[in-house]
Amino acid sequence: MFHVNPNPGAEIHHTDPFAVPPDQRSPARRLRGRLAASVTLWTAPGPAGLTVSSTLVAEGEPDRLLGLVDPEADLWTAIEEAGRFAVAPLGPSHRQLADRFAGLFPSPGGLFATDAWTDTPYGPVPADAGSWAGCRLDTAREYGWALLVEATIETVEIVTDTPPLLHHRGRYHQLS
């Protein structure tokens, strides 16, 4: 007889075995970890995608979106080629999707092989996303070890009021 876990999903480690020990992390990295951030999924035609927790919306004429992305990510190549991308705030039900697009969870068949997707001119968005924005790339520049991406928001779709998935101190959280 064997044990069947009634709660699907598995946890091999309760901590990241590759993480830098806390006493060896830079003070700036430790500070960043203490700033709770909404988890978003950025996608572009291709398709390509990346989980991003450093996203900021600046209202104005026009409205703008800023974010820090990995310059070596497939997403950045796709954004450069297309000149546009989609940003979808993720909710508590998207933890596995967030991990998959962050490269922390296996994605047999590719990042977009599972889940339901809605095709947009800006890139695919999760079909169950409560909202998303379509952005036109304005510029990007090196900023620390990332690229600071600046974009104009061209469209916003708000379908439902979904509570945010938050990232804080290396773990996902949700508002209660």
Side-chain angles (χ1 to χ4, degrees):
M1 186 163 233
F2 58 92
H3 171 73
V4 175
N5 184 350
N7 301 314
E11 180 177 83
I12 298 171
H13 302 280
H14 67 280
T15 60
D16 181 350
F18 304 107
V20 175
D23 62 329
Q24 295 176 20
R25 294 180 193 152
S26 76
R29 183 178 177 93
R30 293 178 71 203
L31 174 63
R32 186 185 74 192
R34 284 160 174 76
L35 300 174
S38 293
V39 180
T40 62
L41 178 65
W42 291 33
T43 61
L50 184 68
T51 302
V52 179
S53 61
S54 52
T55 302
L56 179 68
V57 173
E59 291 180 84
E61 291 296 330
D63 296 324
R64 307 289 302 279
L65 185 129
L66 306 147
L68 295 172
V69 300
D70 180 351
E72 296 179 8
D74 291 341
L75 171 71
W76 175 239
T77 303
I79 289 175
E80 273 191 308
E81 288 176 10
R84 63 190 187 279
F85 59 97
V87 175
L90 299 182
S93 66
H94 296 121
R95 290 173 186 241
Q96 195 174 86
L97 181 137
D99 275 348
R100 192 168 69 240
F101 278 84
L104 301 174
F105 197 82
S107 55
L111 293 172
F112 297 90
T114 59
D115 300 306
W117 297 93
T118 300
D119 288 324
T120 79
Y122 300 92
V125 296
D128 61 348
S131 58
W132 64 275
C135 302
R136 177 180 35 84
L137 177 65
D138 292 328
T139 188
R141 59 192 157 120
E142 289 184 18
Y143 212 81
W145 289 331
L147 280 177
L148 174 59
V149 175
E150 300 177 35
T152 298
I153 298 173
E154 294 188 328
T155 186
V156 175
E157 295 285 329
I158 298 182
V159 181
T160 61
D161 190 15
T162 305
L165 178 62
L166 301 175
H167 193 262
H168 180 253
R169 301 209 56 199
R171 290 191 165 71
Y172 295 122
H173 301 274
Q174 64 189 62
L175 296 177
S176 48

